[in-house]
Amino acid sequence: MIEKRQGAVKQITSHSNPIVKEIKGLVAQRKHRSQSGLFVAEGLKLATDALEAGWGIRYLALGPDARDNPVAQKAAAAAKARGALILEVSTAVMSAMTRKDNPQMVVGVYEQQLLGPRDIEPSGTTLWVALDRVRDPGNLGTIIRTVDAVGGAGVMLVGDCTDPFAVEAVRATMGSLFHVPLAKLGKDEFKSLAATWPGTVAATHLKGSVDYRTPDYAEPVLLVMGNEQKGLEDDMAAACPTLIRIPQVGQADSLNLAVATGVALYEIRRKHLEL
Ligand code: SAM
């Protein structure tokens, strides 16, 4: 179990320290993340984002380069004030914890936050993206980042999805994970929500008959995206009144999931986005 002593500073030099082992476990295994409700995010930018957004932080590990970095020291002071245990570690220990040859100078362990279906309040100009069984952590992280960029309200993970708190997914969000609410829903919960959604429910689909540039997207909007290999399940598609398609020429069968999400989002949010 992770050590509970918090709000203090601890030097760690040994790879076999129990906290190092626990952080390794959080990096490597979903089971550890689910059981503890914790996850690892690498880098000073993500630490700053997490602290600014008020996420719970358990540990902040600082490598040698962080000790005379003012931004890292400010983050450490903020984390300590929140009750986190500050870990001063060597580069070798940081490498072992993160399983990387060139680790970041700062690594944080944070408390997961996941909403349920009842926490989702579709109103006003809100826009949510629902992902059906998304498998690729890079796609998921990129979509979370793009939802942040267009001012979306959040991302729903429907069915058996990849772990949003896996290191690769967190890294791909570039910090947006800490600003975009995530919700986990079963398929039936999604269908009930879609049935009572007050604005537009539009799913992207390769068999869609509506050009994605033509609907007026009455708000709030729920944009639904299919799985990377199998697309959107038939019963999920049936729960969505509008099936939109992004035109393609050339030989590609389909667009990458994150690219398709970005293309659709920028059209849907067009009126909210100005330079
Ligand atoms: N073989 C899958 C299929 O038959 O649907 C391809 C899935 S595609 C890689 C992943 C998801 O991206 C799709 O389910 C859809 O949501 C979206 N997508 C990709 N290209 C699209 C396009 N041209 N029009 C509409 N949606 C698209």
Side-chain angles (χ1 to χ4, degrees), residues 115-122 128 156 183-185 193 197:
L115 305 177
R118 275 185 276 282
D119 302 310
I120 296 166
E121 289 171 12
W128 280 82
M156 299 175 201
K184 198 166 165 38
L185 281 75
L193 190 69
W197 193 267

Side-chain angles (χ1 to χ4, degrees), residues 99-267:
R99 295 164 185 261
K100 271 185 148 180
D101 291 340
N102 294 307
Q104 300 265 355
M105 69 163 115
V106 170
V107 167
V109 175
Y110 306 92
E111 292 166 13
Q112 299 182 12
Q113 293 183 25
L114 261 185
L115 305 177
R118 275 185 276 282
D119 302 310
I120 296 166
E121 289 171 12
S123 63
T125 61
T126 57
L127 168 121
W128 280 82
V129 174
L131 302 174
D132 174 24
R133 299 162 299 151
V134 57
R135 299 308 309 161
D136 183 273
N139 276 343
L140 175 55
T142 304
I143 290 169
I144 292 169
R145 181 179 178 185
T146 311
V147 169
D148 188 15
V150 300
V155 174
M156 299 175 201
L157 303 169
V158 184
D160 185 17
C161 290
T162 191
D163 183 2
F165 300 109
V167 169
E168 305 78 30
V170 173
R171 190 182 302 136
T173 73
M174 296 293 287
S176 291
L177 173 78
F178 298 111
H179 306 295
V180 175
L182 300 180
K184 198 166 165 38
L185 281 75
K187 202 158 70 160
D188 289 339
E189 290 167 330
F190 167 81
K191 287 185 198 166
S192 307
L193 190 69
T196 55
W197 193 267
T200 304
V201 179
T204 55
H205 203 291
L206 297 184
K207 294 194 182 131
S209 57
V210 179
D211 184 316
Y212 79 111
R213 295 164 292 191
T214 54
D216 66 358
Y217 296 110
E219 292 169 326
V221 178
L222 175 54
L223 173 67
V224 186
M225 306 298 302
N227 166 271
E228 289 95 334
Q229 275 80 43
K230 297 181 178 155
L232 194 61
E233 271 198 297
D234 288 348
D235 56 338
M236 292 276 292
C240 303
T242 309
L243 296 186
I244 54 175
R245 184 155 51 96
I246 302 167
Q248 292 180 214
V249 293
Q251 303 306 309
D253 291 336
S254 62
L255 296 169
N256 161 275
L257 170 62
V259 170
T261 309
V263 169
L265 281 177
Y266 268 85
E267 179 62 28

Side-chain angles (χ1 to χ4, degrees), residues 28-90:
Q29 288 189 20
R30 185 172 194 166
K31 185 182 74 177
H32 282 282
R33 295 190 291 272
S34 310
Q35 284 170 352
S36 63
L38 299 172
F39 69 102
V40 173
E42 302 164 329
L44 183 52
K45 180 191 182 300
L46 271 69
T48 308
D49 279 327
L51 288 161
E52 278 174 8
W55 280 55
I57 176 162
R58 191 67 62 87
Y59 298 112
L60 194 69
L62 307 177
D65 293 348
R67 310 235 171 100
D68 46 15
N69 179 307
V71 182
Q73 288 305 316
K74 198 172 158 208
K80 201 170 159 208
R82 293 256 186 95
L85 179 60
I86 309 303
L87 311 173
E88 293 187 347
V89 303
S90 62

